[in-house]
């Protein structure tokens, strides 16, 4: 393990030197391939490397003098700082991509390119990423039950809050729909919600988690995903449901909402 930690920075340095000469030659997901590699491969690897060193240092050197709460606070503070740095690495990679394109094509439309990330890629990754993270925690809860008890009324309230959370999340997705001709953001998201609901249903029938607080994370997530799938179906089949979300979303739309540039033809 200790040797592996020293191999990671060596790999990063060598790969960085080998990849850098290919700047501006190829793209992936409309990002310069080299910049994508730096932002989403090198930066996460360095984050894991630093976190691992932090863990070893706290455990081996200061493990006896620190409480679990102190270790948690130190680790959380370090992680938040690293996430801020990572955010600026991504910003740099994105703006560097724009620069590479502008050098190759002086008539390049930087606004249209940035709107692809704003309207499509970022929204899809954020929603599916959050849903995937929630699902991982929910499935872990089946094998690692929570160690606390609440009465039935509070447990039903937890499940009910999942329904509210799913409704709120669906409204956020509805508001994020760029409504582009030739492409359907909501169709993609509804399909994803349906697939996740099927996944939860299969896991339930296979493992049958107990309907109590020990599996509270699973049931809260299940309620949220079931609500997302239900609203997806209702807004497709029912004009009233579709109109309801349109009316609610109208109250939250900013002044220029819906005037997005047309990306697909």
């Amino acid at each position: 393990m200790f040797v592996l930690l020293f191999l990671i920075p060596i790999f990063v340095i060598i790969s960085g030197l080998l990849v850098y000469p290919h700047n501006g030659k190829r793209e992936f997901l409309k990002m310069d391939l080299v910049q994508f590699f730096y932002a989403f491969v090198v930066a996460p690897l360095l984050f894991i490397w630093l976190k691992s060193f932090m863990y070893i240092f706290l455990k081996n050197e200061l493990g006896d003098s620190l409480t679990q709460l102190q270790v948690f606070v130190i680790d959380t503070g370090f992680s938040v700082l690293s996430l801020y740095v990572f955010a600026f690495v991504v910003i740099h990679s994105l703006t560097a991509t724009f620069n590479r394109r502008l050098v190759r094509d002086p008539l390049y439309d930087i606004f249209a390119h940035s709107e692809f990330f704003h309207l499509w890629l970022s929204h899809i990754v954020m929603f599916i990423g959050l849903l995937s993270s929630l699902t991982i925690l929910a499935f872990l809860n089946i094998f690692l039950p929570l160690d606390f008890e609440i009465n039935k009324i509070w447990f039903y309230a937890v499940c009910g809050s999942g329904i509210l959370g799913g409704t709120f999340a669906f409204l956020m997705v509805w508001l994020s729909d760029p409504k582009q001709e030739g492409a359907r953001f909501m169709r993609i998201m509804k399909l994803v919600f349906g697939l996740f609901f099927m996944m939860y249903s299969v896991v339930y029938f296979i493992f049958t988690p107990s309907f109590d607080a020990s599996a509270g994370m699973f049931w809260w997530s299940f309620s949220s995903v079931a609500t997302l799938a239900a609203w997806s179906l209702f807004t497709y089949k029912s004009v009233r449901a579709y109109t309801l979300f349109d009316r609610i979303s109208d109250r939250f739309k900013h002044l220029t909402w819906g005037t997005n540039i047309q990306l697909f033809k």
Side-chain angles (χ1 to χ4, degrees):
M1 178 66 180
F2 195 70
V3 175
L4 180 62
L5 288 178
F6 280 97
L7 290 177
I8 289 177
I10 295 174
F11 165 77
V12 168
I13 293 171
I14 294 175
S15 60
L17 292 174
L18 293 175
V19 169
Y20 190 78
H22 299 279
N23 244 322
K25 294 181 179 180
R26 293 187 179 181
E27 289 187 348
F28 179 71
L29 296 177
K30 291 198 174 185
M31 278 190 69
D32 181 76
L33 184 59
V34 173
Q35 299 302 323
F36 181 89
F37 176 75
Y38 287 157
F40 297 104
V41 177
V42 172
L45 273 177
L46 288 176
F47 174 68
I48 295 171
W49 178 65
L50 291 170
K51 283 272 291 183
S52 300
F53 257 110
M54 176 67 73
Y55 171 77
I56 292 174
F57 180 75
L58 292 176
K59 181 180 178 181
N60 295 343
E61 304 298 330
L62 301 174
D64 296 333
S65 60
L66 295 176
T67 65
Q68 288 187 345
L69 178 60
Q70 289 173 325
V71 172
F72 173 77
V73 170
I74 294 172
D75 182 72
T76 301
F78 180 79
S79 298
V80 171
L81 177 63
S82 299
L83 288 173
Y84 280 127
V85 175
F86 175 71
F88 282 97
V89 170
V90 174
I91 291 172
H92 173 270
S93 295
L94 186 59
T95 51
T97 296
F98 296 154
N99 176 265
R100 303 296 185 275
R101 287 288 299 271
L102 193 61
V103 169
R104 295 204 314 264
D105 180 10
L107 299 179
Y108 157 67
D109 190 345
I110 188 174
F111 177 67
H113 195 172
S114 63
E115 283 296 86
F116 167 78
F117 296 105
H118 168 224
L119 298 175
W120 283 86
L121 186 61
S122 61
H123 285 156
I124 290 175
V125 172
M126 283 191 299
F127 290 128
I128 297 180
L130 288 172
L131 193 55
S132 300
S133 301
L134 185 66
T135 299
I136 291 172
L137 292 176
F139 290 173
L140 282 175
N141 186 205
I142 297 175
F143 305 102
L144 302 171
L146 299 175
D147 189 21
F148 64 85
E149 295 182 2
I150 55 176
N151 59 42
K152 285 293 183 181
I153 295 178
W154 280 107
F155 177 66
Y156 293 146
V158 169
C159 295
S161 68
I163 296 174
L164 291 176
T167 302
F168 178 78
F170 189 81
L171 178 61
M172 292 299 99
V173 174
W174 191 277
L175 278 167
S176 301
D177 184 8
K179 299 186 182 302
Q180 301 276 289
E181 296 179 7
R184 297 291 183 269
F185 175 84
M186 283 303 299
R187 183 177 296 176
I188 295 173
M189 296 310 302
K190 288 179 179 180
L191 177 62
V192 169
F193 297 152
L195 290 174
F196 269 88
F197 176 71
M198 291 174 59
M199 191 188 310
Y200 272 83
S201 301
V202 170
V203 168
Y204 168 75
F205 283 113
I206 292 176
F207 298 103
T208 317
S210 57
F211 190 65
D212 54 33
S214 63
M217 187 64 196
F218 173 83
W219 289 112
W220 187 89
S221 304
F222 185 86
S223 300
S224 301
V225 172
T227 302
L228 288 169
W231 282 125
S232 298
L233 180 63
F234 290 153
T235 52
Y236 177 73
K237 293 290 187 179
S238 171
V239 176
R240 288 185 178 181
Y242 188 96
T243 304
L244 172 65
F245 272 94
D246 253 356
R247 288 179 177 176
I248 296 175
S249 64
D250 282 341
R251 295 180 177 272
F252 297 97
K253 292 176 181 176
H254 55 77
L255 183 63
T256 59
W257 188 95
T259 60
N260 304 313
I261 188 172
Q262 178 64 42
L263 298 177
F264 303 96
K265 297 180 180 179

